[in-house]
Amino acid sequence: MSDENKHHATAAAILPLVGGAENVTSVAHCMTRLRLGLHDRSLVRDEQLKALPAVMGVVEDDTYQIVLGPGAVARVTPEFEALVEAGRTEAAPASPAPDHGDRPVTAEALAAQGAALRAQRKARNATPFKLFLRRIANIFVPLIPALIGCGIVAGLNGLLVNLHWLPGITPALAATASGFMALIAVFVGHNTAKEFGGTPVLGGAIASIIVYAGVADVEVFGRHLAPGQGGVLGALGAAWLGVCVEKGCRRRVPEALDVLVTPTVTVLVAGLTTLFGLMFLAGEVSTWIGDAADWLLSHGGAGAGFLLGGLFLPLVMLGLHQALIPVHTTLIEGAGFTVLLPILAMAGAGQVGAAIAVYCRLRHNTSIRATVKSALWPGFLGVGEPLIYGVSLPLGRPFVTACAGGAFGGAFVGLFNQLGTDVGSTAIGPSGWALFPLLDGNHGPGRTVAVYAAGLIVGYVTGFLATYCFGFTKAMLTELDTTPAPSAKDRPAPAERATEKI
């Protein structure tokens, strides 16, 4: 049996003995031990686990620790993680949407239809390319809370500086807001190695080379490198290369030497390749992305905004929106804000306007109206999934007219970018009203907020009018604009006939 098959077999033997994939809450490893977080400790079969040839012992602490030895544990852990993920996926099959026959369409029916569409979309998006994009998103999504927090602090600091308030505090706020962005490459490297099955700290160590001040002394292609050159794209590539080198070492280096040789070779090979190749190339790509975004909006303006705002929700449905996350992060790292996110946020405004039109058109369908009312406020705050999967997408035409609202809102914001007023966001993640604290631009907060707010209004109004006028056919209104029949449990019991006593 090859080493790779041996380690896979070890992971496969351990998993059922610790209660299966559903019982595992976390997986990590140290120098010698596989460390597991477990839902229910009583499901573990200790004696059978200890009897496995590859297991040297078990230790019970805050985590359940299985001693596999140096070298072996680093090879078994990624196999175990893959089995856990596969087990969880198999344990949660998608349920088909129920058939409601000729009964009036209710919010429950739309929700079931939306869930079925979501499951179909997930299955359809499981192509190698889209799975790769999903992995890229998994690298950046955990960074969003820090981007939001630091972005809000940066916005507050900019406001205080412009107003000349609290001059003794603003340098401290600037340091608080900028510290994470100065080291974001390290976090990207850590998450990249973790996502692609390497050792996270090695990914962070390799990526930290990019932000080290001493790289200014390194000359490549006749030019000195600059600290931070290549940014998050360079960190992503460097850490991925480190994972490839590490996996190659794990396959070839004897287990007795693994703990010394593998980390050293990984850092050395990936580090030198980063310095003498990746930093320069990634720096050129990052510069090109920034220049392309500026050119697109300064020349394309309203047209580019129309396409971006109108097509964003279909991109989400296809799983392709995740390709934009590294682009946003690169723009934030270079210019301090991304000019694309406020335009894409207009797609949510179109959804809100469409939902209000659905509420007005279906005056007799209390069930769907109740769903719209409950999902509308999250929609205003940029949480669009309840409206998409609970209202517009199952209805069909309102989803298309909602995209029209996003297109016109995006065109409005894009037009102002073309006229010289940049509207950007200092972080990714929020949209709708939640994006206001993160807005930034080149003409001060007042004009930036005004343009973004006006864009939202355009999206709301256009989405409403398009849906009200074109979102329903006569047949749809006949089917949908009816009062749903009460369910059996809500139907009142028949009154008992009174018996007159003579």
Side-chain angles (χ1 to χ4, degrees):
M1 183 184 294
S2 67
D3 283 346
E4 188 172 346
N5 290 337
K6 179 180 72 173
H7 299 308
H8 179 82
T10 300
I14 290 174
L15 184 57
L17 299 181
V18 295
E22 293 300 313
N23 195 39
V24 178
T25 60
S26 63
V27 181
H29 74 86
C30 60
M31 296 288 288
T32 60
R33 302 175 186 180
L34 175 64
R35 298 170 178 258
L36 305 178
L38 302 174
H39 280 298
D40 187 351
R41 169 67 181 82
S42 65
L43 297 179
V44 179
R45 289 174 272 175
D46 295 283
E47 296 307 318
Q48 292 174 261
L49 196 57
K50 293 175 185 177
L52 293 177
V55 176
M56 302 176 182
V58 298
V59 177
E60 191 167 359
D61 199 356
D62 54 334
T63 56
Y64 191 78
Q65 302 170 17
I66 303 171
V67 183
L68 299 174
V73 68
R75 293 167 166 84
V76 171
T77 300
E79 300 286 349
F80 187 85
E81 288 176 324
L83 290 173
V84 169
E85 185 63 30
R88 288 172 179 166
T89 303
E90 293 172 3
S95 56
D99 181 11
H100 292 270
D102 296 329
R103 284 177 288 167
V105 178
T106 63
E108 290 77 11
L110 286 183
Q113 191 175 346
L117 289 169
R118 188 183 308 188
Q120 292 170 10
R121 178 179 67 89
K122 184 175 181 181
R124 192 167 54 246
N125 287 345
T127 63
F129 177 66
K130 291 173 184 175
L131 290 175
F132 172 75
L133 292 181
R134 194 175 302 165
R135 301 189 82 169
I136 298 298
N138 291 341
I139 294 168
F140 289 93
V141 167
L143 305 180
I144 289 177
L147 285 168
I148 293 173
C150 294
I152 291 176
V153 173
L156 175 62
N157 183 63
L159 181 64
L160 293 176
V161 169
N162 290 333
L163 295 174
H164 303 289
W165 290 356
L166 303 177
I169 298 296
T170 50
L173 291 177
T176 303
S178 304
F180 172 74
M181 290 305 302
L183 297 175
I184 190 173
V186 179
F187 295 97
V188 169
H190 178 280
N191 289 353
T192 300
K194 182 178 180 181
E195 180 63 27
F196 287 98
T199 303
V201 71
L202 289 180
I206 296 164
S208 67
I209 296 170
I210 292 173
V211 296
Y212 174 56
V215 300
D217 299 326
V218 180
E219 187 175 332
V220 180
F221 304 123
R223 293 158 56 180
H224 283 276
L225 295 175
Q229 185 173 338
V232 294
L233 297 182
L236 194 156
W240 176 81
L241 177 63
V243 171
C244 295
V245 174
E246 181 185 359
K247 288 183 175 179
C249 290
R250 301 282 186 205
R251 287 193 295 267
R252 295 172 177 82
V253 176
E255 292 184 7
L257 299 175
D258 180 79
V259 70
L260 296 176
V261 174
T262 298
T264 304
V265 173
T266 299
V267 172
L268 184 63
V269 173
L272 291 177
T273 305
T274 299
L275 286 169
F276 291 102
L278 279 178
M279 281 186 68
F280 179 84
L281 292 175
E284 295 299 308
V285 173
S286 298
T287 301
W288 180 85
I289 289 174
D291 293 343
D294 290 339
W295 183 91
L296 180 66
L297 293 179
S298 61
H299 292 79
F306 186 90
L307 290 175
L308 290 171
L311 294 177
F312 184 64
L313 287 179
L315 286 177
V316 172
M317 304 307 300
L318 293 172
L320 298 176
H321 66 295
Q322 297 171 119
L324 295 172
I325 296 177
V327 176
H328 288 311
T329 310
T330 300
L331 292 174
I332 292 171
E333 194 177 34
F337 53 83
T338 169
V339 292
L340 298 180
L341 186 60
I343 293 176
L344 299 176
M346 296 300 119
Q351 282 289 328
V352 169
I356 296 173
V358 170
Y359 184 88
C360 294
R361 288 290 263 166
L362 303 182
R363 291 188 295 272
H364 300 99
N365 195 321
T366 55
S367 180
I368 293 179
R369 284 165 63 93
T371 297
V372 172
K373 285 177 65 176
S374 63
L376 201 55
W377 289 111
F380 278 118
L381 295 174
V383 182
E385 285 81 359
L387 289 177
I388 295 173
Y389 291 106
V391 181
S392 66
L393 187 60
L395 291 174
R397 289 172 68 105
F399 180 77
V400 177
T401 53
C403 292
F408 279 92
F412 181 88
V413 177
L415 176 62
F416 275 85
N417 275 277
Q418 187 175 5
L419 296 175
T421 300
D422 291 343
V423 179
S425 169
T426 57
I428 58 177
S431 65
W433 295 356
L435 197 61
F436 278 112
L438 298 169
L439 292 175
D440 196 4
N442 60 347
H443 283 92
R447 186 186 298 188
T448 303
V449 168
V451 172
Y452 179 72
L456 288 178
I457 293 172
V458 171
Y460 296 151
V461 172
T462 307
F464 176 86
L465 292 177
T467 305
Y468 195 91
C469 297
F470 306 108
F472 296 91
T473 63
K474 290 183 178 180
M476 289 175 65
L477 287 174
T478 301
E479 178 187 2
L480 295 168
D481 196 19
T482 56
T483 303
S487 61
K489 65 180 181 180
D490 297 327
R491 196 176 293 126
E496 294 183 0
R497 183 176 299 174
T499 303
E500 184 179 15
K501 292 184 179 180
I502 299 176

